Amino acid sequence: DTAVSQTPKYLVTQMGNDKSIKCEQNLGHDTMYWYKQDSKKFLKIMFSYNNKELIINETVPNRFSPKSPDKAHLNLHINSLELGDSAVYFCASSQSSLGETQYFGPGTRLLVL
Amino acid sequence: AQSVSQHNHHVILSEAASLELGCNYSYGGTVNLFWYVQYPGQHLQLLLKYFSGDPLVKGIKGFEAEFIKSKFSFNLRKPSVQWSDTAEYFCAVGTGGFKTIFGAGTRLFVKA
């Protein structure tokens, strides 16, 4: 059973397009996250939701809009994609938002042409 | 501001060599400390963690880490590395304020 799953695994698209990445966790966790990992492997938090409520928004451009329909899902929609958005995006979840162990999804490798 | 620094960006070792990866953080309060590992082409997974108690913690695959509170450090060690330990290693600090801060990562390459 996959604990944290993401779709799609790979995404290749043109500049200016709008795309979405989906994330689901079946661990019963309250908190979910989106991270961006750039080409140098640096991992940066983008958003965090706790029980469907946004609790962290790390100065991400408003072209990025997370949506949490329920606490098991946290989707990421990106408008007007730019070359600099090319990266691997990781979804993660944790039991709560109190700095606990995070469980990561397999990542979505986004390439913007 | 809270931060996590990993001393080495790249480490190259031969098999059977000993490993120590440094991690220091800046935060004055209670912390949870983690090391995550990312094998080539895979997602991050937990290697070990420290929440409280014995400052020397043991993780999977023979890794251990020691929390030294006075030095704000949580260094990762392994007495004898294997080729399969080739990966990116991330130190992370959970401060309880909704955020876990990750270090920039250390890329370990083990020569067979």
Side-chain angles (χ1 to χ4, degrees):
Chain A
D1 284 345
T2 303
V4 183
S5 59
Q6 294 178 229
T7 54
K9 193 171 181 181
Y10 299 96
L11 187 52
V12 181
T13 188
Q14 300 284 336
M15 267 197 315
N17 284 350
D18 304 338
K19 290 294 178 186
S20 291
I21 308 172
K22 295 185 176 181
C23 178
E24 177 181 1
Q25 55 96 1
N26 63 6
L27 297 167
H29 288 168
D30 287 341
T31 308
M32 296 185 73
Y33 312 82
W34 276 109
Y35 288 89
K36 179 180 180 180
Q37 186 177 46
D38 61 24
S39 58
K40 294 182 180 179
K41 298 291 189 179
F42 188 68
L43 197 66
K44 186 175 180 182
I45 182 76
M46 300 174 69
F47 300 103
S48 176
Y49 271 70
N50 187 58
N51 272 319
K52 303 192 297 175
E53 298 294 325
L54 179 66
I55 55 174
I56 294 175
N57 181 341
E58 285 290 301
T59 60
V60 178
N62 57 16
R63 296 183 296 104
F64 291 79
S65 52
K67 284 188 172 51
S68 183
D70 55 62
K71 72 174 192 177
H73 295 83
L74 180 61
N75 304 324
L76 183 65
H77 188 76
I78 316 170
N79 289 326
S80 302
L81 278 155
E82 300 177 357
L83 293 177
D85 298 332
S86 296
V88 182
Y89 292 83
F90 286 100
C91 177
S93 73
S94 62
Q95 182 65 51
S96 73
S97 56
L98 301 178
E100 297 180 348
T101 302
Q102 295 184 23
Y103 295 82
F104 285 81
T108 296
R109 193 172 296 270
L110 171 65
L111 177 61
V112 182
L113 302 173
Chain B
Q2 301 152 10
S3 65
V4 178
S5 67
Q6 294 184 232
H7 307 157
N8 311 96
H9 293 296
H10 295 90
V11 173
I12 301 174
L13 295 173
S14 298
E15 274 195 314
S18 64
L19 170 72
E20 180 157 3
L21 302 182
C23 173
N24 285 90
Y25 64 93
S26 63
Y27 181 72
T30 301
V31 293
N32 295 335
L33 299 164
F34 308 87
W35 277 96
Y36 288 87
V37 60
Q38 185 178 24
Y39 296 105
Q42 295 188 27
H43 61 283
L44 277 82
Q45 52 190 289
L46 183 69
L47 198 56
L48 49 77
K49 64 185 178 186
Y50 170 82
F51 285 4
S52 64
D54 188 343
L56 183 64
V57 292
K58 296 191 183 299
I60 60 172
K61 303 187 180 185
F63 285 90
E64 65 178 31
E66 184 175 13
F67 170 46
I68 303 179
K69 190 175 181 179
S70 60
K71 295 185 178 180
F72 298 90
S73 69
F74 190 54
N75 292 353
L76 181 70
R77 299 194 290 251
K78 185 171 182 177
S80 176
V81 294
Q82 299 173 312
W83 176 79
S84 58
D85 293 325
T86 294
E88 189 95 17
Y89 292 82
F90 294 90
C91 180
V93 176
T95 63
F98 306 128
K99 187 189 291 189
T100 296
I101 303 166
F102 284 79
T106 296
R107 188 169 297 184
L108 171 65
F109 181 73
V110 180
K111 297 184 290 185

